[in-house]
Amino acid sequence: MIPPIVLHGLIYGGVAAIALLTLTAWGIWFERKFAGRMQSRLGPTMVGWAGLLQPLADVLKLLQKEDLVPAQADRTLYLLSPPLTVFFTLATVAVIPFGVDVAVANLPIGVPWILAFSGLMVFPVWTAGWASANKYALLGAMRAVAQGISYEIPMLLTALVPVIFAGSMNVNEIVRWQAEHHWIALWPPGPGLFAFVIFFLSCLAEANRIPFDIPEAESELVAGVTTEYSGMRFGLFYLAEYLHTLVASAVASALFFGGWNGIFGLPDGIHWMLAKTLTLFFLITWIRWSLLRFRADQLMRICWTYLVPASLALVMISALWVHYAPQLGPMWGG
Amino acid sequence: MIDRIAFGVVALLLLLSALRVVTSKNLVHSVLWLGLTLVTTAGAYLLLSAPFIASIQILLYTGGVITLMLFGVMLTRRGEDIAIPNESSEGGRALILSLATFGLFTGAVLKTPLPQEAPPFTGSTAELGREILGPNLMAFEVLSVLLLAAMVGAIVIARRRDPGSQRPSLGLRIEAEAKSQEGKS
């Protein structure tokens, strides 16, 4: 006899994973096409109807390639790393509320759960780079770790801002609070919006997206961590990157933009969550194809000298606001 | 029933991974097993109805473990081989010490009256916060001063270097170079 909570987790988890992987395939199509339009890359806008066959063509090409393992490599870790990146990314999905009370697990520790698993992401990336027995891969892995554990700090601190406002670590409760009061990015003018910007930048850095893709800077490191990987194992890294981008967009829209809460009094529901997530995904894609890559030291300086102090200040301002705003009257308290 | 199974799996994983930490012949494998041990400990906390401690355990120790691994690789890596030897020589003494610790803990556990049922799985975070910032505020603050002292110490040690060989970092040098180029054109 399986307890209902386990059954709920299995069914919702399965559905969420399949839906997200499908959405990721769509995301890859969108990005290929968008990049094609922006930078005159002719292929992806033409394969099949509106370029819809491009993801299929990508996957077919990856499947045909030989699954290579370098002779010097640490075989187990080398083979294990790519699936683990996908696993850790999917694990974060568990606590994201997609609709009104629709989540794989309604955990009281949603926010720390998300942060813990996105912190674990550096492990498979690092082991992949180390196990490849390749200098470029190792350098890429070192950079990935340095970047990952640095940007985790502003990400963690800014994720505390919604927690302070809503008074709960349950992501679903945070969204519910926003539905009852106001979106955290909009009302207390300042802290919410700035916290969102810093959170968003840190997510980009954690997902190794341009302008923070130093670990796989192809102009200096061949392909960084993924240098030795071929075929579908490379494909899994690719998949994890897109999945991470989508999940980060979903987390940001749940924490700062009211998740499933509709605008102008329109009915709440999963469509709002989807719309907000895809808008942020679009923004990330736009940034990727418009900007250049930072230098490694600039990247670290941005994090440690601007983002970390700024997010500490934001946490303090939010705490003061929550403490003193109710005394200013009902208009301010929210 | 499912609690028992979950506990069995967690306990087995914990023991196996902890054993592999000391028996692995490769430093990186050792550290990765240590990572698994710490994550499984979080699982044990979860089974003990302490979800907040569990997530903080994962959050803090992953960073710690990955840093340990980096230092392991950067400080001990020699030659081209990716396998970093991790030989232990003090087997006998380590065995005595760990057996003694085991005895100590077993004695303590047997002497303490423990609740037979796990407490209900609730969000204990709020109570934890009140407990820490209320009656135990002093201890909490002393602990943070200790951590601050450790951090200051680490920075002082890291910054101490030969005054003659002080070179600006690569980034600063590149920037200075770029500035002088701009000045010329």
Side-chain angles (χ1 to χ4, degrees):
Chain A
M1 185 58 210
I2 310 171
I5 189 166
V6 176
L7 209 63
H8 172 273
L10 283 176
I11 293 172
Y12 273 66
V15 170
I18 291 168
L20 266 170
L21 290 174
T22 318
L23 207 60
T24 309
W26 182 87
I28 292 173
W29 164 77
F30 173 75
E31 172 149 359
R32 297 291 304 252
K33 192 172 155 74
F34 188 64
R37 290 272 179 244
M38 266 183 97
Q39 302 190 343
S40 288
R41 295 162 183 246
L42 292 183
T45 58
M46 293 181 187
V47 187
W49 183 73
L52 271 175
L53 287 181
Q54 183 64 42
L56 204 66
D58 287 348
V59 171
L60 274 178
K61 183 185 160 208
L62 286 175
L63 282 176
Q64 282 171 0
K65 290 196 171 176
E66 191 189 346
D67 187 15
L68 286 169
V69 179
Q72 291 283 307
D74 188 316
R75 203 180 159 83
T76 328
L77 285 180
Y78 182 84
L79 296 182
L80 210 60
S81 302
L84 271 182
T85 53
V86 179
F87 169 74
F88 286 142
T89 320
L90 272 180
T92 14
V93 177
V95 293
I96 300 173
F98 288 98
V100 187
D101 289 323
V102 179
V104 179
N106 198 2
L107 287 184
I109 47 148
V111 175
W113 171 279
I114 291 171
L115 296 170
F117 275 93
S118 79
L120 278 177
M121 273 295 287
V122 292
F123 264 93
V125 173
W126 198 85
T127 49
W130 180 78
S132 298
N134 177 313
K135 281 185 178 131
Y136 291 118
L138 188 66
L139 273 175
M142 290 283 193
R143 287 181 176 191
V145 171
Q147 180 175 325
I149 56 180
S150 305
Y151 276 86
E152 204 182 334
I153 298 166
M155 187 176 165
L156 210 145
L157 288 170
T158 46
L160 277 181
V161 170
V163 171
I164 290 172
F165 280 116
S168 171
M169 287 199 177
N170 184 332
V171 187
N172 200 26
E173 289 300 314
I174 293 175
V175 176
R176 188 175 296 283
W177 186 88
Q178 292 182 80
E180 279 162 13
H181 297 82
H182 46 73
W183 294 0
I184 284 160
L186 297 185
W187 179 231
L193 191 63
F194 284 118
F196 162 70
V197 171
I198 294 178
F199 184 82
F200 193 64
L201 288 179
S202 313
C203 284
L204 283 182
E206 293 262 308
N208 295 337
R209 301 282 295 192
I210 287 178
F212 302 105
D213 71 332
I214 286 291
E216 47 176 17
E218 64 264 29
S219 48
E220 30 195 292
L221 289 181
V222 189
V225 173
T226 53
T227 304
E228 292 288 353
Y229 284 90
S230 65
M232 220 40 218
R233 284 189 199 280
F234 170 74
L236 284 177
F237 278 113
Y238 201 67
L239 175 71
E241 186 187 320
Y242 278 85
L243 205 57
H244 197 145
T245 316
L246 262 178
V247 170
S249 312
V251 172
S253 43
L255 288 183
F256 295 98
F257 289 99
W260 39 257
N261 178 224
I263 44 171
F264 306 127
L266 291 169
D268 297 343
I270 196 163
H271 49 283
W272 285 110
M273 184 66 182
L274 212 59
K276 288 166 190 171
T277 305
L278 292 180
T279 310
L280 286 183
F281 184 78
F282 170 72
L283 196 65
I284 294 177
T285 316
W286 192 5
I287 290 173
R288 170 168 181 183
W289 295 101
S290 318
L291 291 183
L292 299 170
R293 185 181 296 128
F294 284 121
R295 224 168 46 214
D297 65 299
Q298 290 173 328
L299 193 82
M300 295 315 248
R301 196 173 329 144
I302 291 168
C303 180
W304 289 102
T305 58
Y306 297 105
L307 297 188
V308 172
S311 36
L312 272 172
L314 286 174
V315 168
M316 247 184 250
I317 292 170
S318 316
L320 288 175
W321 178 280
V322 167
H323 191 75
Y324 288 110
Q327 296 169 15
L328 293 174
M331 197 201 127
W332 297 85
Chain B
M1 184 59 202
I2 202 144
D3 290 12
R4 298 266 168 104
I5 299 173
F7 176 76
V9 171
V10 165
L12 202 69
L13 255 177
L14 199 56
L15 284 178
L16 272 179
S17 55
L19 207 62
R20 292 294 287 151
V21 175
V22 282
T23 54
S24 281
K25 290 280 172 267
N26 186 332
L27 186 71
V28 171
H29 289 180
S30 255
V31 180
L32 282 174
W33 283 113
L34 180 65
L36 185 63
T37 315
L38 294 167
V39 169
T40 335
T41 316
Y45 289 148
L46 216 54
L47 287 175
L48 290 169
S49 306
F52 182 70
I53 313 278
S55 54
I56 295 302
Q57 164 94 6
I58 297 182
L59 204 58
L60 289 184
Y61 281 102
T62 43
V65 165
I66 201 103
T67 316
L68 188 66
M69 187 142 71
L70 277 189
F71 277 111
V73 169
M74 285 196 298
L75 297 179
T76 60
R77 192 176 152 91
R78 288 197 195 91
E80 292 298 299
D81 196 17
I82 58 164
I84 300 163
N86 179 29
E87 262 111 45
S88 44
S89 50
E90 303 281 337
R93 267 181 265 181
L95 191 69
I96 294 169
L97 200 65
S98 42
L99 276 180
T101 319
F102 179 72
L104 194 71
F105 280 126
T106 318
V109 167
L110 287 178
K111 282 213 164 170
T112 316
L114 294 169
Q116 291 301 305
E117 286 287 312
F121 191 88
T122 50
S124 56
T125 320
E127 291 110 81
L128 193 73
R130 275 189 208 101
E131 198 65 27
I132 288 177
L133 294 178
N136 301 313
L137 183 66
M138 201 60 203
F140 180 71
E141 288 300 325
V142 169
L143 249 173
S144 33
V145 171
L146 179 74
L147 286 178
L148 185 70
M151 204 161 82
V152 171
I155 291 171
V156 168
I157 292 169
R159 295 203 79 160
R160 185 189 299 153
R161 56 167 100 107
D162 196 17
S165 71
Q166 267 196 356
R167 280 180 89 191
S169 71
L170 180 67
L172 289 179
R173 270 182 280 149
I174 293 173
E175 239 164 45
E177 180 80 10
K179 281 213 183 98
S180 70
Q181 291 286 330
E182 268 167 33
K184 273 174 207 160
S185 60

